[in-house]
Amino acid sequence: MSPLDELEDNPLPEGQLMLKLVATPQDTNLHGDISAGWVISQMEQAAELAAARLAHGRTATVAVNSMDFLCPVRTGSLVQIHTLLIETGNSSMKFNVEVWILPPNERDESTLYKVTEASFVMVALDEKGRIRTLPTQNGH
């Protein structure tokens, strides 16, 4: 099974909606589509938000797996980024991060299109920027 097949297997977003924003003209590439760099930056921000909640503080990205982009993101699209905790270690957290869009002028909010997904590995940091142990989670 190719990575592209895996991307197409899930018809609906998985995980918690972490960010919801509109793609604007300032985020475009030379061809007028939203740049992949902007999308990746939003994915990292969503992973960072999810990790900070779990770590009760500062975190950093230490790894991102490869990703395939399934469709372009047009200006005016409503971008939704979902995070799903996959596993935790002593100081690390692995999240699956998915990007879905509602194209501009689409009225049916159930008509979402998957743009990409990747796993992000985050670590908890102390106030000096050193890796620290995750706090104990009640019931987890």
Side-chain angles (χ1 to χ4, degrees):
M1 179 180 277
S2 78
L4 192 58
D5 291 335
E6 290 176 21
L7 285 173
E8 294 172 347
D9 281 346
N10 299 326
L12 297 172
E14 290 188 328
Q16 180 179 7
L17 177 61
M18 195 57 56
L19 283 178
K20 190 174 188 178
L21 58 158
V22 175
T24 63
Q26 69 188 22
D27 306 315
T28 60
N29 61 22
L30 296 173
H31 304 288
D33 293 318
I34 300 303
S35 74
W38 181 85
V39 172
I40 295 165
S41 176
Q42 302 310 311
M43 293 173 77
E44 182 178 32
Q45 186 175 29
E48 203 169 295
L49 286 167
R53 288 181 180 175
L54 188 64
H56 301 182
R58 188 175 173 191
T59 64
T61 305
V62 295
V64 180
N65 75 346
S66 65
M67 61 184 75
D68 294 310
F69 285 85
L70 303 174
C71 65
V73 178
R74 293 182 22 222
T75 300
S77 294
L78 181 61
V79 179
Q80 298 182 19
I81 304 176
H82 297 257
T83 61
L84 179 65
L85 180 64
I86 303 299
E87 64 182 278
T88 59
N90 188 43
S91 60
S92 66
M93 301 149 279
K94 183 177 183 179
F95 292 91
N96 190 57
V97 180
E98 296 182 354
V99 179
W100 292 74
I101 59 167
L102 180 66
N105 303 319
E106 179 65 54
R107 296 186 188 270
D108 182 5
E109 289 203 25
S110 66
T111 308
L112 294 175
Y113 297 92
K114 191 172 198 175
V115 174
T116 191
E117 71 178 306
S119 63
F120 282 71
V121 179
M122 314 295 288
V123 293
L125 300 176
D126 67 16
E127 62 282 345
K128 294 182 180 178
R130 295 180 301 222
I131 294 174
R132 66 174 168 85
T133 302
L134 287 171
T136 304
Q137 303 298 316
N138 295 332
H140 293 82

